[in-house]
Amino acid sequence: HLGVYYTPRPVVNFIVNSINSILKKDFGKAKGFAEDDVHVLDPAIGTGTFFWIAFLLTLKELKDAGLSGLIQEKIEKHLLKHFYGFEILITPYVISHLKLTDLLERWRYRFKNDDRIRVYLTNTLEPTEMHGLIPFLREITEESRIANEIKLKKPILVIMGNPPYAGISANKGKWIDDLLKKGYTRADGSKDDGYYTVDGKPLGEKNPKWLQDDYVKFIRFAQWKIDKTGQGVVGLITNHSYLDNPTFRGMRESLLQSFNRIYILNLHGNALKKERCPDGSKDENVFDIKQGVAIALFIKNNNFTDKKVFYADLYGLRENKYQWLDRHTLDNVKWQEIEPVPPFYFFVPKDASLQKEYEKFWRITDV
């Protein structure tokens, strides 16, 4: 069972608006998503909420700038050409096509014969899953051929979405497994060592099974894709366990090497850990799940010569979190700068003042 969770609109608003701002500020794209050279991928598009909000934002941006005359052309030459979505389940795949087509028609766009929303039925984590053996599935084979091209070759500037929440992944394919374990060479020639090594040495975990979680593979896919393009921005909402669990230290080190700016908005809501607000009151999840979640914004941009990691908490009742997310973007959050340091590279604030002293003692494992 793939839990299909409709992503709450406030979560999508926060991510899409933040990316729009990052595109303007850090990438010199004056109109954000509306710029023709901004290619976008949602690797787990579901019912299409991220694109729905991004399309609206793009069209409103033009309208507010007094450029309504450009809207039809912008839909045809940009929204229908440069926004790619992947979905593995047929029902959300169909819904996303209907929902996005309907939105554009409401903006008076008239679809021509070969126009289509670029959402493809495919498994993001498996490059070649159709071999054209079934003639009547020719359309689907064609879908996966185009999807593969986007997956493996097309430069993408923005990757955003809400990847699946599946503890032990069904995606056991060699391609994604190699990507996790073996690493790759980035566009600038530097080498990534994968999530199973840290500081140049193997993790040595007794049980690294958490690294096989689907959401980890989607973060890995996004990181690899942006590294291959050479620059870009990733905005995802996922399980938050990778922020401070020791098993993920190789993953955190790898992300620190790939990206110049990392923003973590921890939405908490972890019923498994019985999370409460700092004042002891009730903390709720933004989804109907027990696993706490976090929004991550990763920026890779050669204009930055340094690396920084920023962190913020959002605790409270679900409704209050929604209202907060609707009123904020990355620009008006009170971020706290944190310094992820070896051996764990935590993505949460830690008091490291006693670390040196602590490390003078014997390791339990050595004892």
Side-chain angles (χ1 to χ4, degrees), residues 31 44 59 118 206 212 249 275 285 287 293 300-301 308 335 341 353 358 361:
K31 296 195 188 66
L59 298 170
R118 301 273 165 148
K206 292 276 176 291
Q212 287 293 323
R249 61 192 185 276
E275 283 199 301
N285 200 305
F287 295 107
V293 296
K300 183 182 187 70
N301 185 317
K308 287 186 191 289
W335 298 105
V341 291
S353 57
Y358 175 79
F361 290 93

Side-chain angles (χ1 to χ4, degrees), residues 279-308:
D279 66 5
S281 62
K282 191 170 183 221
D283 178 45
E284 293 179 333
N285 200 305
V286 292
F287 295 107
D288 291 320
I289 55 174
K290 292 189 161 36
Q291 179 54 60
V293 296
I295 289 172
L297 292 157
F298 302 120
I299 306 170
K300 183 182 187 70
N301 185 317
N302 311 326
N303 299 334
F304 294 120
T305 50
D306 56 349
K307 309 236 172 203
K308 287 186 191 289

Side-chain angles (χ1 to χ4, degrees), residues 60-328:
K60 280 177 63 106
E61 186 107 7
L62 291 170
K63 194 175 164 190
D64 296 346
L67 300 170
S68 293
L70 297 178
I71 284 178
Q72 301 308 315
E73 188 185 0
K74 186 64 72 174
I75 292 174
E76 180 184 9
K77 298 207 156 65
H78 183 45
L79 299 185
L80 291 176
K81 294 277 189 291
H82 305 145
F83 281 70
Y84 312 100
F86 295 157
E87 178 49 51
I88 192 170
L89 298 175
I90 187 85
T91 307
Y93 163 83
V94 171
I95 292 170
S96 64
H97 271 275
L98 295 172
K99 195 157 110 183
L100 295 169
T101 303
D102 175 66
L103 173 69
L104 297 180
E105 285 176 340
R106 285 181 193 205
W107 282 73
R108 302 201 175 75
Y109 185 72
R110 297 171 64 164
F111 277 76
K112 302 175 192 54
N113 283 339
D114 51 353
D115 281 343
R116 66 163 279 176
I117 304 284
R118 301 273 165 148
V119 171
Y120 299 97
L121 194 63
T122 182
N123 179 352
T124 303
L125 305 178
E126 275 290 339
T128 45
E129 69 254 8
M130 288 282 184
H131 300 292
L133 297 173
I134 320 170
F136 66 85
L137 280 182
R138 205 168 284 129
E139 280 80 5
I140 291 185
T141 313
E142 179 64 0
E143 290 262 308
S144 74
R145 187 189 65 73
I146 297 169
N148 273 341
E149 195 146 306
I150 298 164
K151 224 172 279 183
L152 304 171
K153 300 202 181 84
K154 195 165 265 313
I156 297 286
L157 190 65
V158 175
I159 297 180
M160 60 184 186
N162 170 17
Y165 294 67
I168 302 303
S169 164
N171 290 296
K172 297 268 195 284
K174 179 173 161 38
W175 183 75
I176 190 66
D177 204 52
D178 282 352
L179 203 51
L180 280 179
K181 292 176 179 165
K182 290 191 178 157
Y184 53 85
T185 307
R186 300 189 187 91
D188 64 4
S190 60
K191 177 89 176 72
D192 173 279
D193 292 332
Y195 290 179
Y196 284 75
T197 60
V198 65
D199 296 323
K201 293 193 275 299
L203 270 188
E205 289 283 312
K206 292 276 176 291
N207 191 358
K209 70 170 193 288
W210 303 116
L211 288 169
Q212 287 293 323
D213 194 308
D214 265 349
Y215 85 87
V216 175
K217 292 174 178 172
F218 274 89
I219 290 177
R220 182 59 168 166
F221 168 80
Q223 174 191 11
W224 167 79
K225 192 71 185 147
I226 297 299
D227 266 341
K228 286 295 187 195
T229 301
Q231 60 164 358
V233 54
V234 176
L236 299 172
I237 178 165
T238 68
N239 179 331
H240 68 180
S241 55
Y242 74 98
L243 301 178
D244 60 352
N245 182 321
T247 303
F248 297 91
R249 61 192 185 276
M251 171 180 183
R252 291 187 290 267
E253 183 199 28
S254 171
L255 290 166
L256 284 165
Q257 288 172 357
S258 289
F259 297 101
N260 310 85
R261 292 287 181 275
I262 292 177
Y263 293 88
I264 303 288
L265 178 60
N266 193 342
L267 300 179
H268 297 284
N270 193 329
L272 305 170
K273 285 190 188 167
K274 308 223 180 343
E275 283 199 301
R276 314 282 298 175
C277 301
D279 66 5
S281 62
K282 191 170 183 221
D283 178 45
E284 293 179 333
N285 200 305
V286 292
F287 295 107
D288 291 320
I289 55 174
K290 292 189 161 36
Q291 179 54 60
V293 296
I295 289 172
L297 292 157
F298 302 120
I299 306 170
K300 183 182 187 70
N301 185 317
N302 311 326
N303 299 334
F304 294 120
T305 50
D306 56 349
K307 309 236 172 203
K308 287 186 191 289
V309 182
F310 298 97
Y311 178 92
D313 288 308
L314 182 56
Y315 285 103
L317 301 177
R318 177 181 295 186
E319 260 323 297
N320 298 351
K321 286 182 181 178
Y322 285 173
Q323 286 170 10
W324 189 95
L325 287 165
D326 271 334
R327 286 199 304 269
H328 289 79

